[in-house]
Amino acid sequence: MKKMFGMVSLLTAGLTLSACSSTAPAPATGSPAQEPAAAPARTPATEAECAAFDRSPSGEVFARVDYTDIEDAFKVAISFEPWEFNREQKFLTLAVTQEQFEQLRASGEQLGFRVSIDEQLTEQQSALARGEGLGAQAISGQYPCFRTVQETYAAAQSIVQRYPNLATWRSFGQTANGNPIYELVLTNKSVGGTKPKVMFNSALHAREYATAELNLRFAERLVAGYGVDPDITWMLDSQEFHLILMTNPDGRAKAEQGQLWRKNVNTRFCPTSKPGVDLNRNFAFRWNTGGSSADPCNETFRGPSAGSEAETQALQNLMKANFPDRRSDSLDAAAPLDTAGIYIDIHSYSRLNLWPWGSVQQSPANGAALENLGRKFSYYNGHDPMQAIGLYPTSGSTDEYLYGTLGVAAFTFELGDAFFENCSRFTSDILPRNLNALMYAAKVARAPYQLAGGPDTVNVALSGTTLSATVTDTQAVGASAQGIRSAEYFIDTPPWAGGTAIPMTAADGSFGSTSEAVRASVNTAGLSQGRHLIYMRGTDSGGNTGPVSAVFLDVGGTSPAPTPPAGNTYTGTVSSGTSSYQPGTGGFSSTGGTLRGQLSGPSGTDFDLYLQKLSGGSWTTVARSELETSSESITYAAASGTYRWQVYAYSGSGSYTLTEQR
């Protein structure tokens, strides 16, 4: 994508005359007539469109811009923050005043895009402003793939109950309204030592539904994969994950009602119209240096001072508690290449991977390494990689604060195409791609500036004692690849802990290609019976070593799986988009205690499992498992009551088996 900084904003031209008035204002008496400022030709609004502005409580409507040239769309996006930017269908929707609407229409006639009022979205938001409309059911009714604040918290607490040796749920601060802000900390508590920190933050901007769900599903993948996936196992053993699922829970609660709420809920500012502060313009590094507003009613209001907001202060303190300071605050200073830890602020939308700086065009001193990381992420999530200033100027953001203040490799992911993302698109495309990108970020967290510059080890396999993999330098989008110089493996003790490197050979007889199949015969003599972990990595011709990938080695036979407790087994059949209930729609009575469900469906399907409780004559979901697989599991600490299991076929059809323990 071309850099957009410096592109002419459509709002830099003079606004056109309001089409609902009949004449242009006359020059002041006694002053010479002035030539009109150069501006796009006026295209009047219709009477019906003027009426739409009159009906709107805020005086704004939602305009739809249908474009053919992506550069024109970027010009619109610079002037406004679109509600949706759909590149597949080539349209944007954005909130505009009447003046802005007429300017857009005039510009569109000149440049070749079409502007109209999105009547459905305008009426929906107007109804919400009048206290009508979707209400509390907006997210669960129209966007069921995204969990509410309370459902997210319940899922996080369920993780802690199911995996007490891996998970901790703790409050680290409060919102402007005094509500707690939580983090989910994941690591193997049985393994000590200094561990690199991985911090993923989401829902800082309240209306960006997809962000918290991605973060939560990443957590669910980690805990479910421990002891099953060798890479997840070593990462949880040797690293520590700090996942802030809902950084702005007060604002998110507003957005869950269908409101386009972005800021926090600090009613000291613009209390009757658009209250709050844009938290991602409030952080205390280069605050108020561009890309924010001093107007309390503006969506990018930066707050009265740097770090003024309770949410900002809590997250800044959490960052400083977990990451050592490895960089001076000068714009020209570099963090040491061995700086550990990585941070990603998850936002939506635009399908971008962004890194500092956003407040200045200058590239950071670690710019080459940050760019390489961004390009590696793009291999997995398909986003466009760019320095943040390439989108539009910003200051007071979380990633710029963390990199600028402490030197940590810090990024922003902009997911998808809309704030309220389509569930089908989220589940089938955005979620799997970005889970893989987050997994890569975790793999390089020990030294991201260095490891992302090296080759990746993929297609790892062990057949008997024959170890094989592919070492490739081709997974940085748009970057030049180097030849592979060598590959090696380690048994049980990884390289960062002083393990002994054992060389691997190139399958074609010599190294030098940008992708090399490698192999080795593992000598198991002297290894104890049971499960071992093999770590592999490669080095390119420039001497850059990449991250490890791992595989399990079982000596003396496969390690037996634990025997589950006895319970009930149910079977059934579901087709795509339908549900089945066990032991029936009426459910079962429980006196309380732990309820466990293990679902297994046909290979290639995506079946989800829910536990529901009868409450006041209706069923409420109290636990869920929604991985993109045919197998799901739930462990839930139940109070006494009536419960039932729901099996939902998100995609695919067939028979399933549900094993239950009470």
Side-chain angles (χ1 to χ4, degrees), residues 7 53 94 104 107 114 185 204 216 267 325 332 364 405-406 409 415 422 447-449 452 474 522 585 594:
M7 182 177 286
F53 283 102
L94 47 146
L104 269 176
S107 299
R114 185 169 61 87
V185 183
L204 189 69
L216 178 56
T267 54
D325 188 350
D332 299 322
T405 303
L406 303 178
L415 311 179
N422 174 278
Y449 295 133
T474 62
V522 180
T585 56
T594 301

Side-chain angles (χ1 to χ4, degrees), residues 342-564:
I342 197 163
Y343 169 84
I344 296 176
D345 192 1
I346 308 171
H347 285 261
S348 67
Y349 57 91
S350 289
R351 297 184 183 255
L352 298 170
N353 298 327
L354 305 173
W355 58 88
W357 306 114
S359 60
V360 64
Q361 294 187 64
Q362 172 184 330
S363 178
N366 296 100
L370 289 166
E371 180 176 349
N372 202 53
L373 272 162
R375 293 184 182 280
K376 286 289 184 78
F377 296 146
S378 295
Y379 174 82
Y380 294 99
N381 63 16
H383 291 183
D384 289 315
M386 66 170 66
Q387 186 178 329
I389 191 75
L391 180 60
Y392 45 69
T394 58
S395 61
S397 62
T398 66
D399 53 358
E400 188 151 312
Y401 170 83
L402 186 55
Y403 173 72
T405 303
L406 303 178
V408 175
F411 288 81
T412 292
F413 281 7
E414 293 280 0
L415 311 179
D417 305 301
F419 296 133
F420 294 4
E421 188 63 68
N422 174 278
C423 273
S424 176
R425 186 162 57 233
F426 172 76
T427 305
S428 64
D429 177 46
I430 296 167
L431 176 63
R433 283 172 175 260
N434 283 280
L435 283 175
N436 290 335
L438 295 181
M439 199 66 68
Y440 179 80
K443 289 187 76 171
V444 301
R446 183 165 294 275
Y449 295 133
Q450 294 174 322
L451 293 175
D456 299 297
T457 303
V458 299
N459 303 326
V460 175
L462 183 65
S463 178
T465 58
T466 300
L467 183 64
S468 63
T470 299
V471 180
T472 180
D473 204 49
T474 62
Q475 295 189 172
V477 172
S480 299
Q482 299 191 70
I484 305 304
R485 188 177 75 186
S486 63
E488 58 192 6
Y489 71 96
F490 304 76
I491 301 177
D492 289 335
T493 304
W496 58 84
T500 300
I502 306 171
M504 304 181 73
T505 61
D508 62 3
S510 63
F511 288 100
S513 299
T514 55
S515 289
E516 289 281 1
V518 298
R519 63 189 180 192
S521 180
V522 180
N523 183 1
T524 61
L527 294 179
S528 61
Q529 287 202 351
R531 172 156 285 183
H532 299 265
L533 199 57
I534 296 180
Y535 305 83
M536 284 163 281
R537 67 180 185 178
T539 301
D540 65 26
S541 59
N544 305 298
T545 299
V548 302
S549 292
V551 66
F552 288 126
L553 167 65
D554 292 305
V555 175
T558 304
S559 299
T563 302

Side-chain angles (χ1 to χ4, degrees), residues 33-82:
Q34 301 292 319
E35 289 293 327
R42 170 184 168 189
T43 304
T46 66
E47 288 187 13
E49 289 166 341
C50 291
F53 283 102
D54 291 340
R55 289 193 303 269
S56 171
S58 66
E60 294 181 332
V61 303
F62 281 85
R64 174 174 169 133
V65 177
D66 291 277
Y67 65 89
T68 55
D69 186 340
I70 189 68
E71 294 298 326
D72 292 337
F74 289 150
K75 291 174 185 177
V76 175
I78 289 171
S79 302
F80 306 89
E81 182 169 0

Side-chain angles (χ1 to χ4, degrees), residues 544-606:
N544 305 298
T545 299
V548 302
S549 292
V551 66
F552 288 126
L553 167 65
D554 292 305
V555 175
T558 304
S559 299
T563 302
N568 300 313
T569 299
Y570 308 111
T571 59
T573 301
V574 284
S575 57
S576 182
T578 67
S579 294
S580 173
Y581 298 92
Q582 298 292 354
T585 56
F588 60 89
S589 296
S590 172
T591 57
T594 301
L595 299 178
R596 294 184 177 88
Q598 180 70 48
L599 174 67
S600 179
S603 177
T605 60
D606 182 359

